[in-house]
Amino acid sequence: MRSVEFSTTTTLPATPEKVFDHLADPNNHVGLSPLVVEVRDIRRDPAAVRFTAVERFAFGPLRHDNVIEVTLRLGEGEITGNVVSPGGVRVDWGYRIDAVPGGTKVVDHYRLSAPFGLLRFSMGQAKKVQVARGRELARRFAA
């Protein structure tokens, strides 16, 4: 399997604590990713949050719901996670959340691995999600 890595950076007019809390709550992931249409079965412990998410892919008039198990590991100034989707696509990601003058900088980093034939499609979808997430976070935290 081949792997690729990519990142985006978003600066928000909010405290790092508010941004961290928002990203650590699975309920806020609906709409944060344009693919996530449902979150359920949330399970919390001090170091992690686990939940089931439903990603909806549209191919013209056809739709496919991809049910995935997500784990968010909560660290000091960072949230990391990983997902293994059907087809063997694996995504490891992390949010690095740092204070900057006037707000918070969020670095959204992905490491994506996929079997031959799925890498380009998966990478394209993941990059679209990442860019949309930055825009949605900016909208949600607009001053």
Side-chain angles (χ1 to χ4, degrees):
M1 267 203 286
R2 291 191 52 217
S3 296
V4 292
E5 293 189 43
F6 45 94
S7 299
T8 61
T9 301
T10 305
T11 303
L12 304 169
T15 66
E17 296 78 19
K18 284 185 181 180
V19 174
F20 184 94
D21 290 346
H22 190 80
L23 290 171
D25 183 348
N27 293 303
N28 293 326
H29 287 244
V30 174
L32 188 56
S33 162
L35 298 176
V36 177
V37 296
E38 181 183 352
V39 168
R40 60 182 182 236
D41 304 325
I42 299 169
R43 299 154 324 267
R44 300 174 191 276
D45 66 51
V49 180
R50 292 170 180 76
F51 60 98
T52 302
V54 178
E55 295 178 316
R56 180 160 294 148
F57 292 91
F59 306 97
L62 303 175
R63 287 196 268 172
H64 171 70
D65 285 354
N66 188 32
V67 179
I68 55 175
E69 290 300 314
V70 180
T71 299
L72 301 177
R73 288 176 297 287
L74 311 176
E76 185 66 33
E78 68 179 9
I79 299 170
T80 61
N82 63 288
V83 169
V84 178
S85 292
V89 176
R90 180 179 180 93
V91 180
D92 297 297
W93 78 92
Y95 304 114
R96 181 72 207 154
I97 302 163
D98 292 308
V100 295
T104 299
K105 177 177 76 170
V106 179
V107 177
D108 185 350
H109 182 82
Y110 272 63
R111 181 180 312 116
L112 185 141
S113 303
F116 181 77
L118 285 178
L119 185 65
R120 182 178 295 170
F121 171 78
S122 300
M123 183 174 64
Q125 291 295 309
K127 284 184 173 187
K128 286 179 194 175
V129 165
Q130 200 175 51
V131 168
R133 183 170 30 247
R135 280 194 310 262
E136 180 62 13
L137 281 170
R139 186 193 70 75
R140 290 181 184 188
F141 286 97

